[in-house]
Amino acid sequence: MSLLAPALLDELRAAVGDAGVSTDPADRDAVAHDLWPRALIRERGGERLPGPDAVVWPSTRGQVAAVCAACHRAEIPFTPFGAGTGVCGAAIPVRGGVVLDLKRLDRILDWDLETGWVRVEPGLLGSRLEDACRERGRTTGHHPSSLALSTVGGFVATRSAGQLSTRYGRIDDLVAGLEAVLPDGTEVSLRPEPAAGAGPDLRRLFLGSEGGFGVIVEVTLRLHPLPERRVDHAAVFGGFAEGIAAVRELLQAGLRPSLLRLYDLADTALQAAELGVGEGSGALLLASCEGRAAVAEAEAAELAAICAAHGASARDPAAVEAWYTRRDDIGFAQARYLPLAGAVLDTVELAAPWSRLAALHEAVRRRIGGRLIVLCHLSHGYPDGACLYFSFAGVAEEEAGAVPLHELLWEEVMAAAAETGASIAHHHGAGLARAPYMAAELGAGGVEVLRRLKAALDPGGVANPGKWGL
Amino acid sequence: MSAAALPEAQVVAAQRCASCPKMCRSACPTLAVTANERHQPWGHARTVVAALGGQDGFAEPATVAAAFACATCGACTVPCLVKGVETTELSWAVRAAVFDAGATPAAGLRAVAEASAGRVRVADSPPAWTDPAATLDALRRLATPGADLLLLPGCGALGHRPEAALAAGRALRGLRIAFTVLDEHRCCGAPARSFGDTAAAVAMLDRLGAAIAAAAVRRVAVQSPSCAHLLATHAPGPAGVAVEPLAGVLAAGLASAGTPAGHGRVAYHDPCFLARHLDHTAEPRAVLRTLGHEVVELRGRGATTACSGGGGGLPLTHPAIADGYRDRLAAAVAEAAGAGAAALVTGCATCAARLAGAVPVPVLELAEACAAALEARR
Ligand SMILES: Cc1cc2nc3c(=O)[nH]c(=O)nc-3n(C[C@H](O)[C@H](O)[C@H](O)COP(=O)(O)OP(=O)(O)OC[C@H]3O[C@@H](n4cnc5c(N)ncnc54)[C@H](O)[C@@H]3O)c2cc1C
Ligand code: SF4
Ligand code: SF4
């Protein structure tokens, strides 16, 4: 039974048509959660999250505006939903209401190949966009492991980062402009610009907004020409610290490899076996330089020289190609192991400046090691720091212990971030997973800014409420 | 409750699929058409897990709806690398569990009864069936009694597009390949498998096997792709009888018959069961090229071909979703027509029937294209 008033349901049906509104429990159940492991573990334990009261499928931005306005007037929450592949619970409609499924807004609207822009709707799947770009000799350069699973709107709303972000930038860097519908239905157009300087950058307000400021209904993304050449390099360092030093030096020297992954010792042992690179001791680096052939080759030569200067021994670059062939396979392991009683699997991405990166790595391993398997790799590099991406796996003694073990995992990882002054998130967003830690992340002043922004843009508090710890 | 009706391997498959981060979502046409999160392998598997633990078991309406909202096209099996998960196998097992729970949709029960009675479906909405005896008689007039090749058009060709079944006979004759046909139509049991009636499926397959044995042939050429797949995987006839898709027989015959005159550019649509389930993609193209056609490839071909929506009983249980599949495929055909394809050819009579009129170019089943070209040569 839907708890929505019949008048609101009528209004929603008037906005999007009868076929665009459902109160069927099976439709609602399918959007009751995203892929936040906590929700999946709870479901495995027999719990059913309540889900929304209705699912609505708009197919135009006008319909989005009408739905938002209706919810705003009725004081009923709405939660945008892309593909539900977020891993932090951001798309969970914690206060019920309406889930606004955006998959019918999936058109490519316009190419400006001269400038290097493409204008798309938010429900477009990442891989569909990338295929269309490639047909035109272009790429966005944005390739998260979930490229074929997630939507452009989801990328923008969670501040996603692709595997090649060191060269192409994260989604933040790729958004040239966007259009949004505010929670009361007001339409906002923030037109694409190569650069602009009049006042604050309002586009940025919607990056990572996780539906809390309304619905992104159009995005203009920057394009790059497909690289003429890719030069791969694989190397093994004596230890993680030596590898970090080399990566820092090459980034600070201005190199921008597309692929840049440095595995810690535990992760190297696993990767080396899978990628066929020697015995698996030390810290494995996988890198690619791409672009114009001469530039890519020169960049790769510089990268190799810097690695060698830090004591790395080069390995067969075929390992890098082997990595590319399975670059998006991370999710398959979840399918295999998550059904097991008591199993706890998760990944947490943190970011820190170079001066605190090693301490962050040590702190997470110290707090979690012994309780769960901890693997880590550095990826997404910047001149002033990098992301450390941790993978955790373990089994609670009984199913009832799985949620507490998962809670403990997050408490400890977030404590490690606090202890070392690291950022609690690099690219998975905040959602519910990080809500309790937002105050520590943003500080009292930051939380106040966020609270006021939320109150100003969403005075009724209807847009994806219950997130960010507000 | 009929939870035990699901084999253990499929219970594990459902649990894994329901725990998967929807890794195949971009491949599933049901999701593309409905935009509904529940309608993809992950969502369907969740309803199976719910049925295993729920009071209504496999009679639970959401489980039943999910079980049949799938054309068993196999598109999701291409990206899926999860060990033990083969969605089409899971789908057939779940449909059997739904049948055991007495919850099979009435349209499905009717389809099984009609197929058991040797009748073939000629229309989907509203569904209608007929006795294909007249078509078989016409085909028999082209046949050579005692030939060692049996032509099995299958329900798809005999029902949805009898002219395709007749064209198969004309093409074989044109290639001087002697063939014979069964005395009366025997269904391979694919419709019964689609609707979970395992006993009926086995009985139908056995009857077909006995008929093949009685025909005393050494080879069977199967025209309908789902039929070809079922016979290839279940081998009902006597040992030593080779079963192959008709496209392969035509390709081999044409290779030795020499090349007829050119016939322009055509697009070719790979049927799911031929291309994905049987990996039979080179043979139909070889037929077209030998006939002198230039093949324009569709967006989505081979293992990633787009389903026309005719399989798995989808037009009977979820006609709107099935039409959505067809429209997506029709858009790809229109694109190929824009690139110069003057006709669409497909190795499946059901697909041809579904696409005819929905695309801006004439549609031909492969045997029709073959027969027409051979006859034009004379
Ligand atoms: C196997 C796997 C691998 C992954 N790999 C990566 C990776 O490499 N890099 C990475 O960054 N992430 C990765 N992720 C995380 C996830 O894919 C991203 O967070 C993705 O951006 C979510 O997109 P979505 O369309 O599924 O959004 P959803 O999960 O549906 O939504 C995410 C949040 O955005 C909001 N939202 C969605 N669309 C809109 C819109 N149009 N307007 C306003 N708000 C909106 C929702 O309300 C929600 O708060 C991975 C996830 C999985 C399961
Ligand atoms: S079919 Fe395979 S890839 Fe698709 S959801 Fe199921 S397990 Fe995952
Ligand atoms: S077999 Fe086809 S329709 Fe069925 S779930 Fe897989 S992709 Fe979807």
Side-chain angles (χ1 to χ4, degrees):
Chain A
M1 259 292 291
S2 169
L3 297 175
L4 297 186
L8 176 59
L9 285 171
D10 286 346
E11 216 177 329
L12 295 174
R13 291 193 182 102
V16 300
D18 287 354
V21 179
S22 172
T23 56
D24 182 330
D27 294 337
R28 288 153 48 199
D29 178 58
V31 293
H33 61 74
D34 57 4
L35 296 172
W36 183 29
R38 180 86 48 84
L40 304 182
I41 293 168
R42 283 168 62 183
E43 190 173 65
R44 185 185 65 206
E47 208 178 316
R48 268 315 208 222
L49 297 187
D53 299 295
V55 189
V56 174
W57 289 269
S59 42
T60 64
R61 61 157 63 196
Q63 292 181 355
V64 173
V67 171
C68 291
C71 288
H72 173 76
R73 281 193 300 272
E75 299 181 3
I76 291 294
F78 68 80
T79 303
F81 192 99
T85 66
V87 287
C88 291
I92 298 180
V94 283
R95 302 204 185 137
V98 169
V99 156
L100 210 61
D101 190 325
L102 297 163
K103 283 194 281 292
R104 286 190 183 152
L105 280 158
D106 67 348
R107 285 158 286 230
I108 296 177
L109 299 170
D110 184 36
W111 296 93
D112 178 350
L113 294 180
E114 185 182 1
T115 301
W117 283 345
V118 61
R119 197 160 59 88
V120 303
E121 291 185 324
L124 181 67
L125 221 50
S127 53
R128 297 252 153 78
L129 171 59
E130 194 55 25
D131 289 348
C133 288
R134 282 174 183 266
E135 281 175 14
R136 290 161 177 81
R138 304 294 196 282
T139 174
T140 63
H142 186 66
H143 191 129
S145 319
S146 56
L147 184 72
L149 321 178
S150 311
T151 66
V152 172
F155 294 151
V156 177
T158 58
R159 297 182 69 192
S160 158
Q163 294 160 345
L164 310 183
S165 74
T166 303
R167 174 178 173 83
Y168 294 104
R170 45 193 296 152
I171 199 77
D172 314 30
D173 305 304
L174 297 171
V175 173
L178 56 81
E179 315 226 338
V181 169
L182 298 183
D184 66 355
T186 305
E187 296 188 38
V188 181
S189 172
L190 300 167
R191 68 159 192 245
E193 308 270 17
D201 185 351
L202 297 179
R203 293 165 197 83
R204 295 230 147 215
L205 206 53
F206 292 90
L207 294 168
S209 58
E210 295 185 333
F213 295 152
V215 186
I216 298 158
V217 289
E218 218 178 272
V219 183
T220 300
L221 291 172
R222 302 197 162 95
L223 300 172
H224 303 272
L226 281 174
E228 187 179 285
R229 184 73 179 268
R230 191 188 89 206
V231 186
D232 295 338
H233 185 69
V236 173
F237 293 89
F240 198 42
E242 289 86 338
I244 290 177
V247 167
R248 173 172 65 84
E249 184 179 331
L250 68 89
L251 288 167
Q252 290 181 339
L255 303 191
R256 290 294 173 272
S258 51
L259 182 71
L260 184 67
R261 294 169 85 86
L262 175 70
Y263 297 90
D264 76 356
L265 274 54
D267 213 349
T268 296
L270 186 79
Q271 299 298 331
E274 290 199 355
L275 302 173
V277 230
E279 68 291 357
S281 58
L284 173 67
L285 175 99
L286 302 179
S288 302
C289 296
E290 64 185 43
R292 297 296 283 258
V295 179
E297 278 160 19
E299 189 175 39
E302 286 296 313
L303 181 142
I306 292 173
C307 291
H310 286 267
S313 60
R315 293 292 150 91
D316 186 349
V320 180
E321 182 55 37
W323 177 85
Y324 276 105
T325 60
R326 57 185 75 178
R327 65 193 291 183
D328 298 335
D329 290 357
I330 182 172
F332 292 122
Q334 175 177 319
R336 188 112 182 246
Y337 298 108
L338 197 67
L340 305 176
V344 171
L345 304 174
D346 208 343
T347 57
V348 184
E349 18 61 71
L350 308 169
W354 295 117
S355 55
R356 296 202 282 271
L357 209 66
L360 173 63
H361 180 247
E362 188 279 325
V364 173
R365 288 186 55 81
R366 169 167 39 83
R367 285 169 174 273
I368 307 292
R371 291 193 259 224
L372 293 140
I373 296 169
V374 186
L375 306 173
C376 174
H377 68 262
L378 178 160
S379 52
H380 314 288
Y382 308 90
D384 48 355
C387 163
L388 287 187
Y389 187 97
F390 291 91
S391 303
F392 304 100
V395 187
E397 276 180 17
E398 49 187 4
E399 180 58 26
V403 168
L405 180 58
H406 190 255
E407 286 169 349
L408 180 80
L409 162 66
W410 272 82
E411 279 295 321
E412 292 291 348
V413 174
M414 294 295 112
E419 176 191 325
T420 55
S423 170
I424 62 171
H426 179 266
H427 59 260
H428 286 165
L432 294 173
R434 291 183 166 99
Y437 315 101
M438 287 298 274
E441 175 78 356
L442 301 177
V447 169
E448 189 53 25
V449 172
L450 190 59
R451 191 188 307 282
R452 290 189 195 186
L453 281 170
K454 174 77 174 160
L457 294 174
D458 182 19
V462 292
N464 199 5
K467 307 290 158 60
W468 298 337
L470 294 182
Chain B
M1 205 191 86
S2 56
L6 204 61
E8 183 55 27
Q10 298 307 333
V11 172
V12 171
Q15 286 165 340
R16 288 185 177 174
C17 190
S19 302
C20 177
K22 320 175 188 178
M23 296 288 281
C24 61
R25 68 174 302 130
S26 66
C28 180
T30 297
L31 178 61
V33 168
T34 60
N36 190 328
E37 215 51 32
R38 90 194 242 204
H39 283 314
Q40 57 178 313
W42 166 84
H44 292 172
R46 285 176 87 234
T47 72
V48 176
V49 174
L52 290 167
Q55 276 190 340
D56 295 334
F58 286 91
E60 165 64 39
T63 309
V64 178
F68 295 99
C70 163
T72 59
C73 71
C76 53
T77 62
V78 178
C80 179
L81 299 183
V82 179
K83 199 164 174 242
V85 178
E86 193 70 33
T87 301
T88 42
E89 298 293 334
L90 175 59
S91 184
W92 286 320
V94 171
R95 289 163 185 228
V98 169
F99 181 85
D100 291 345
T104 305
L109 297 176
R110 165 102 194 267
V112 177
E114 296 281 3
S116 295
R119 290 156 65 83
V120 294
R121 196 159 93 230
V122 292
D124 292 340
S125 53
W129 285 263
T130 192
D131 182 339
T135 307
L136 271 180
D137 285 347
L139 202 50
R140 202 168 292 113
R141 286 195 280 280
L142 300 168
T144 309
D148 76 350
L149 174 76
L150 174 71
L151 170 62
L152 213 60
C155 300
L158 288 173
H160 286 118
R161 205 163 160 105
E163 62 268 41
L166 293 174
R170 282 161 46 216
L172 288 173
R173 240 179 114 101
L175 290 169
R176 302 189 200 296
I177 300 174
F179 68 95
T180 179
V181 289
L182 292 180
D183 291 342
E184 55 179 342
H185 171 59
R186 293 263 185 258
C187 174
C188 68
R193 179 177 61 176
S194 280
F195 289 103
D197 187 344
T198 311
V202 170
M204 287 155 85
L205 193 62
D206 285 349
R207 276 164 53 196
L208 176 58
I212 293 173
V217 292
R218 291 215 312 251
R219 295 161 68 207
V220 183
V222 191
Q223 188 172 14
S224 293
S226 59
C227 203
H229 172 252
L230 199 133
L231 297 190
T233 48
H234 289 74
V241 175
V243 175
E244 50 189 317
L246 176 66
V249 177
L250 295 178
L254 275 164
S256 55
T259 306
H263 284 88
R265 310 178 79 187
V266 297
Y268 179 72
H269 163 62
D270 282 304
C272 305
F273 275 86
L274 214 50
R276 227 170 349 241
H277 294 266
L278 286 174
D279 196 19
H280 210 76
T281 54
E283 296 82 350
R285 287 171 174 77
V287 168
L288 292 172
R289 292 208 180 95
T290 315
L291 291 174
H293 291 296
E294 184 190 334
V295 179
V296 178
E297 294 293 358
L298 295 181
R299 186 184 290 273
R301 59 177 174 273
T304 59
T305 188
C307 178
S308 76
L314 194 69
L316 297 178
T317 55
H318 296 274
I321 297 179
D323 287 351
Y325 277 52
R326 182 205 52 213
D327 294 346
R328 282 164 45 85
L329 175 54
V333 175
E335 198 183 353
L344 175 82
V345 181
T346 174
C348 169
T350 304
C351 297
R354 291 183 64 74
L355 286 169
V359 294
V361 286
V363 177
L364 297 167
E365 197 270 350
L366 186 69
E368 294 169 29
C370 191
L374 290 171
E375 286 158 11
R377 188 171 55 156
R378 280 197 228 115

